[in-house]
Amino acid sequence: KPANFSLRELKMIPGIILAGGESVRMGQPKALLPTDVVGETFLLRLITTLRRGGVDDVIVVTGPDRSILENSIASNEPLARFVSNPNPSEGQISSLLVGLSVADRPGVRGALVTLVDVPLVSPETVVALLASYRQTGAPIVRPGADDRHGHPVIFDRSLFDELRGVDKSQGAKAVVRAHKDAIIHVSVNDEGAFTDIDTPGDYERIFGRKPA
């Protein structure tokens, strides 16, 4: 149960938020879009969620807008470490690898990875994923509901080198496919874990208004 987690065990699974994309379809940085809470952005919501869910070390991978994103949460308590992806045009996998280069250290058991496009996941889902990973040690743990799968995704450290060597045109999906029979899908009642907000239409559908 979550209450049985030691702080040391939780530190073994850092969280990586991928926010280095160019947001071409949205037309503006998704990380800075407001949620339905006054003063809260997608990025701030995710950082808060991961920390409330038990992730003690949160790493945000940005593109060239690192200083803007960093300053956007500077006055808020849920702190995170920021790192820039120098080559965001190489795709999402390049941001993941930048995050791993910061997260991977002696004692790390795995990494919890999520997208800034999926900001509404609940802390309870994060807790459930950490609990499942701790109990099973599975190579990949992610939320599941019916035939859907969502974020965050926990990758065991045994897959880090495989992720580093993957064909960038295929990205992390190639690693997920290679281990599909060993994936643990955690059943969650959390629509936010499956809600990808990638376009202005997605935003309007979820929040009932156009993005500012």
Side-chain angles (χ1 to χ4, degrees):
K1 294 181 179 180
N4 293 332
F5 281 18
S6 71
L7 185 59
R8 177 174 175 79
E9 284 173 325
L10 291 175
K11 283 184 176 179
M12 297 298 182
I13 309 171
I16 301 173
I17 299 174
L18 303 182
E22 297 176 337
S23 299
V24 173
R25 284 182 285 178
M26 184 62 75
Q28 58 182 299
K30 283 176 278 191
L32 297 178
L33 287 171
T35 68
D36 50 4
V37 176
V38 175
E40 182 184 72
T41 63
F42 281 18
L43 179 58
L44 180 58
R45 174 72 162 261
L46 270 176
I47 294 171
T48 303
T49 293
L50 295 194
R51 289 178 65 91
R52 287 180 178 169
V55 177
D56 205 57
D57 181 18
V58 178
I59 298 158
V60 180
V61 183
T62 78
D65 53 359
R66 171 180 172 174
S67 61
I68 297 172
L69 300 190
E70 201 164 7
N71 290 336
S72 76
I73 67 157
S75 61
N76 294 280
E77 174 50 32
L79 302 178
R81 294 193 285 161
F82 284 75
V83 59
S84 298
N85 177 1
N87 301 300
S89 62
E90 293 184 357
Q92 198 174 88
I93 185 64
S94 64
S95 289
L96 175 53
L97 296 184
V98 168
L100 283 181
S101 70
V102 176
D104 194 7
R105 63 187 188 277
V108 164
R109 293 179 56 190
L112 181 145
V113 181
T114 196
L115 311 176
V116 79
D117 315 44
V118 188
L120 303 181
V121 59
S122 72
E124 291 76 17
T125 291
V126 175
V127 169
L129 292 172
L130 289 171
S132 178
Y133 175 71
R134 178 173 179 250
Q135 291 162 5
T136 67
I140 299 173
V141 176
R142 63 183 179 183
D146 300 323
D147 59 348
R148 299 183 297 166
H149 51 79
H151 283 84
V153 179
I154 297 178
F155 291 98
D156 185 74
R157 189 176 186 175
S158 64
L159 299 184
F160 286 5
D161 283 344
E162 200 169 330
L163 287 165
R164 292 181 179 113
V166 77
D167 184 332
K168 286 187 170 61
S169 66
Q170 298 186 46
K173 289 181 179 179
V175 175
V176 171
R177 285 194 297 268
H179 297 273
K180 61 185 174 72
D181 294 334
I183 295 174
I184 295 294
H185 288 98
V186 179
S187 179
V188 296
N189 183 22
D190 175 17
E191 195 60 32
F194 309 98
T195 302
D196 191 333
I197 305 174
D198 204 36
T199 68
D202 294 336
Y203 185 94
E204 187 172 6
R205 175 173 52 85
I206 298 300
F207 296 106
R209 63 181 187 275
K210 297 181 182 297

